[in-house]
Amino acid sequence: MTGAEPITAGAPTQRRRPAGLPSQLDGQGTLVMGILNVTPDSFSDGGEHSGTAEAVAHGRLLAAQGAAIIDVGGESTRPGAPRVEEDEELRRVVPVVRALAEDGHVVSVDTMRASVAAACVEAGALIINDVSAGLADAEMGREAARLRTRLGTPPVFVAMHWRGHSDVMTGMANYADVARDSAAELAERLHALREAGVEDRFLVVDPGLGFSKTGEQNWEVLAHWEAIAEHGLPILVGASRKRFLGTLDVDRDAATAAVSAYSAEHGAWAVRVHEVPGSLAAVRVGDRLRRARAARSRR
């Protein structure tokens, strides 16, 4: 696909839903995934919820505000961030995942380590959100597949386009055509995950906004939605408060909500955000536009 002819924006796609999640998440249109960083150094809210009690309280707040999924992460992926030791990541996230899962919330774990993913799924997480799509840990795909044997139902697996760790990714933004190249690279990762035993019905794709992409390249990826949709899988969009939104000279949460509305209109399964109420309103608008357009096309 690299170097192929430019693609043009197409019609909004049908929203797809992965298997393995509670039935109450079905039929709601695009879902809002609330970000819960249990870290001292995340780019937006580092240190605000670094203790277990504070993190659990914030997770409950996100759910009360309308987040259908709480995404718990113990390692910052902001540009330049150093890696966290495995034991420390486990210490940060497992108690938070367990507490929120025991409350009945749908919990996702944001991790690049198979061991952390397994511990969190065993603590109650239903989703593994791996920004590296298995590149950072070769055991990730196999571990996700093995969890099915141990637990009966495998976790949903979010595979994001990624080229390298935070300390090197800003120098890896060279593409012939960012929309097509990143889609092709993600397709390679999906193939590897399938070979490891992860089934399509449990896969979600994420275009990787802000990861190994310049500000303008992020806009190109969003503008060429059909490159994201060509995988035929549910789509998660994570634009929240990212640097490329800051170039608009507006509040980043407001800009995030605008991207959430656009994503919902184009059929995204979920959007991952820090500020839930604004994006919840935005995805409802986007969903209504998508449904109205679909109804009109059937006339």
Side-chain angles (χ1 to χ4, degrees):
M1 294 174 66
T2 303
E5 288 299 312
I7 53 182
T8 56
T13 56
Q14 182 180 2
R15 191 182 75 94
R16 294 178 172 85
R17 176 185 180 274
L21 293 176
S23 59
Q24 63 263 33
L25 296 188
D26 201 12
Q28 295 184 18
T30 298
L31 302 175
V32 174
M33 174 186 281
I35 297 170
L36 179 52
N37 290 319
V38 193
T39 60
D41 58 346
S42 292
F43 78 95
S44 176
D45 56 0
E48 292 183 15
H49 321 114
S50 57
T52 298
E54 296 87 350
V56 172
H58 189 65
R60 289 169 175 160
L61 174 62
L62 293 171
Q65 291 174 334
I69 302 163
I70 309 302
D71 190 44
V72 180
E75 180 176 25
S76 174
T77 53
R78 64 175 173 78
R83 294 224 64 188
V84 172
E85 293 295 327
E86 177 183 356
D87 288 348
E88 175 62 13
E89 188 181 359
L90 286 164
R91 184 194 68 78
R92 291 176 182 180
V93 298
V94 173
V96 178
V97 168
R98 181 176 290 111
L100 292 173
E102 288 175 351
D103 281 351
H105 302 303
V106 177
V107 181
S108 168
V109 58
D110 177 4
T111 185
M112 291 180 279
R113 287 189 171 100
S115 59
V116 175
C120 287
V121 170
E122 290 174 350
L126 299 180
I127 303 168
I128 297 170
N129 182 13
D130 180 3
V131 299
S132 80
L135 266 176
D137 187 338
E139 285 299 307
M140 182 65 91
R142 289 188 288 270
E143 185 59 44
R146 283 195 292 263
L147 286 167
R148 178 173 192 168
T149 302
R150 296 213 299 269
L151 303 176
T153 301
V156 169
F157 194 102
V158 180
M160 193 191 81
H161 174 255
W162 184 89
R163 283 184 160 184
H165 286 290
S166 298
D167 58 343
V168 297
M169 68 180 181
T170 55
M172 305 177 77
N174 299 311
Y175 303 87
D177 180 321
V178 65
R180 287 204 177 275
D181 292 355
S182 58
E185 290 170 16
L186 183 53
E188 293 174 1
R189 295 309 311 150
L190 292 171
H191 176 74
L193 290 167
R194 290 169 181 133
E195 288 290 300
V198 181
E199 300 174 59
D200 264 28
R201 62 199 185 102
F202 296 101
L203 280 169
V204 174
V205 293
D206 180 334
L209 299 177
F211 287 80
S212 299
K213 297 172 185 68
T214 65
E216 188 58 36
Q217 286 170 343
N218 290 308
W219 293 115
E220 289 184 46
V221 169
L222 281 171
H224 295 294
W225 186 271
E226 58 275 39
I228 308 169
E230 69 183 12
H231 302 291
L233 296 169
I235 297 166
L236 172 67
V237 174
S240 189
R241 297 179 181 173
K242 289 188 175 175
R243 186 178 301 173
F244 76 101
L245 298 178
T247 62
L248 300 175
D249 197 27
V250 297
D251 177 78
R252 290 196 192 188
D253 284 327
T256 299
V259 174
S260 294
Y262 172 87
S263 300
E265 185 184 359
H266 283 73
W269 165 67
V271 293
R272 181 179 180 274
V273 304
H274 296 85
E275 196 269 329
V276 169
S279 277
L280 185 62
V283 298
R284 288 179 177 172
V285 170
D287 281 327
R288 284 302 298 266
L289 288 169
R290 179 176 53 83
R291 292 200 302 268
R293 187 174 299 177
R296 185 176 181 84
S297 69
R298 291 194 295 267
R299 292 175 188 167

